[in-house]
């Protein structure tokens, strides 16, 4: 089905959604980002219910029980960042105040999908930078590194499942931090990277059509769960402030 920008809400009115249709809207090149954001806002409750059916309550409880860091501890987290920056500087052989520019340079090369040899970056140093980015980088850097990881993965499904699990040092762990808000725009950016790489893996014969579709729906549900987890934490935080 071809979805016109001005027909999104009419094509999929409330009560007529499934995860396949949600994916179709989010991944469509015919729909503007603003229209996609409006679609997510207007259908938040219904999409949340779809996600509940995709990921069981026991699985979500396990995710919550095993989440890293202390909730609502930004001061502690800032100390962690300072320590991590010093460790990364030592690993890279540079000064701590040079780390941010170093990462920005690597991010530019990552975004252009250059391989490690072209970048002049050893596998060990890349892993050090990636670990830091998935802990303290910008949202743009996280999306770029995720894209690079999936694009160069021998097993794209394994890498995707791993990075969207908590305690993996990946995307899920990045967005569990209170200072890293998973807004709808960022969620779209992450999902578009996932969708692009699943389509590429399917086109190259690395995964089947069924695997691509099922994994795309699982990834959408997982990312939405991560976002809802943040909203729950922020609501609890606000409640504690008001009481």
């Amino acid at each position: 089905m071809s979805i016109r920008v001005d027909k999104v809400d009419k094509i999929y009115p409330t009560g007529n959604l499934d995860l396949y249709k949600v994916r179709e809207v989010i991944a469509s090149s015919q729909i503007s980002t603003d229209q996609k954001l409006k679609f997510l806002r207007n259908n938040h409750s219904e999409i949340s219910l779809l996600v509940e059916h995709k990921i069981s309550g026991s699985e979500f409880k396990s995710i919550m029980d095993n989440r890293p860091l202390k909730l609502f501890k930004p001061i502690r987290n800032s100390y962690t960042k300072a320590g991590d920056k010093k460790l990364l500087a030592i690993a890279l052989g540079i000064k701590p105040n040079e780390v941010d520019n170093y990462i920005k340079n690597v991010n530019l090369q990552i975004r252009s999908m250059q391989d490690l040899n072209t970048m002049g970056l050893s596998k060990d140093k890349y892993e050090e930078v990636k670990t830091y980015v998935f802990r303290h980088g910008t949202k743009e850097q996280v999306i770029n590194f995720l894209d690079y990881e999936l694009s160069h993965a021998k097993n794209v499904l394994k890498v995707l499942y791993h990075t969207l699990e908590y305690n993996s040092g990946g995307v899920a762990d990045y967005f569990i931090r209170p200072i890293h808000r998973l807004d709808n725009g960022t969620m779209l950016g992450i999902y578009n990277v996932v969708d692009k790489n699943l389509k590429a893996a399917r086109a190259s014969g690395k995964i089947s059509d069924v695997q691509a579709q099922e994994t795309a729906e699982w990834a959408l549900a997982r990312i939405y769960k991560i976002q809802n987890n943040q909203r729950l934490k922020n609501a609890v935080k606000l409640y504690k402030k008001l009481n």
Side-chain angles (χ1 to χ4, degrees):
M1 181 194 310
S2 177
I3 307 174
R4 283 175 50 190
V5 173
D6 60 341
K7 296 291 185 180
V8 176
D9 295 329
K10 295 179 181 178
I11 291 176
Y12 296 143
T14 301
N16 191 35
L17 285 178
D18 56 36
L19 280 179
Y20 177 84
K21 293 172 183 175
V22 175
R23 281 181 49 227
E24 189 176 27
V25 172
I26 292 177
S28 174
S29 60
Q30 305 298 316
I31 302 174
S32 71
T33 298
D34 286 344
Q35 281 287 333
K36 291 177 182 179
L37 293 175
K38 180 182 177 183
F39 173 81
L40 290 173
R41 288 194 301 269
N42 290 351
N43 296 280
H44 172 70
S45 296
E46 189 172 354
I47 296 173
S48 295
L49 290 175
L50 294 173
V51 169
E52 291 293 341
H53 291 299
K54 190 67 179 182
I55 296 180
S56 68
S58 60
E59 183 180 2
F60 185 56
K61 183 177 183 302
S62 176
I63 293 172
M64 292 294 291
D65 290 343
N66 292 298
R67 63 193 184 278
L69 299 178
K70 297 287 187 179
L71 296 182
F72 315 128
K73 297 293 184 181
I75 295 178
R76 175 175 174 173
N77 293 342
S78 66
Y79 277 111
T80 301
K81 180 178 180 179
D84 287 347
K85 180 173 285 189
K86 290 179 181 178
L87 291 174
L88 179 58
I90 293 172
L92 297 175
I94 60 178
K95 298 177 181 178
N97 61 6
E98 297 174 334
V99 166
D100 289 343
N101 283 335
Y102 188 98
I103 291 175
K104 287 179 182 178
N105 182 53
V106 173
N107 179 60
L108 288 174
Q109 297 176 78
I110 288 292
R111 191 167 58 186
S112 63
M113 289 296 152
Q114 298 182 37
D115 59 36
L116 295 181
N117 292 330
T118 302
M119 288 189 283
L121 196 64
S122 69
K123 178 66 174 175
D124 289 343
K125 287 187 176 181
Y126 167 77
E127 290 296 330
E128 295 281 359
V129 173
K130 181 186 74 173
T131 298
Y132 184 88
V133 166
F134 279 121
R135 287 176 66 83
H136 308 295
T138 66
K139 295 174 185 178
E140 179 198 7
Q141 289 169 352
V142 168
I143 292 174
N144 289 338
F145 271 75
L146 174 63
D147 194 6
Y148 186 84
E149 286 287 295
L150 294 177
S151 297
H152 291 78
K154 292 182 180 179
N155 186 330
V156 67
L157 299 184
K158 182 178 179 179
V159 172
L160 181 59
Y161 290 142
H162 181 73
T163 195
L164 291 182
E165 292 287 350
Y166 289 113
N167 295 319
S168 68
V171 171
D173 288 343
Y174 178 85
F175 286 107
I176 197 66
R177 295 169 182 260
I179 59 172
H180 299 154
R181 296 291 302 278
L182 182 50
D183 54 86
N184 281 340
T186 304
M187 189 186 83
L188 287 176
I190 292 173
Y191 186 75
N192 284 336
V193 162
V194 170
D195 184 69
K196 180 190 77 172
N197 283 285
L198 286 176
K199 287 178 178 176
R202 181 185 63 191
S204 64
K206 293 180 179 179
I207 60 175
S208 67
D209 289 347
V210 172
Q211 285 177 311
Q213 180 174 331
E214 290 183 348
T215 304
E217 290 188 5
W218 176 88
L220 176 59
R222 175 68 71 186
I223 295 167
Y224 212 76
K225 274 290 190 181
I226 293 170
Q227 185 184 54
N228 285 340
N229 181 16
Q230 281 195 332
R231 287 173 174 155
L232 173 63
K233 288 189 302 178
N234 289 330
V236 171
K237 185 177 181 180
L238 178 61
Y239 175 81
K240 288 182 177 179
K241 284 184 176 180
L242 296 176
N243 292 275

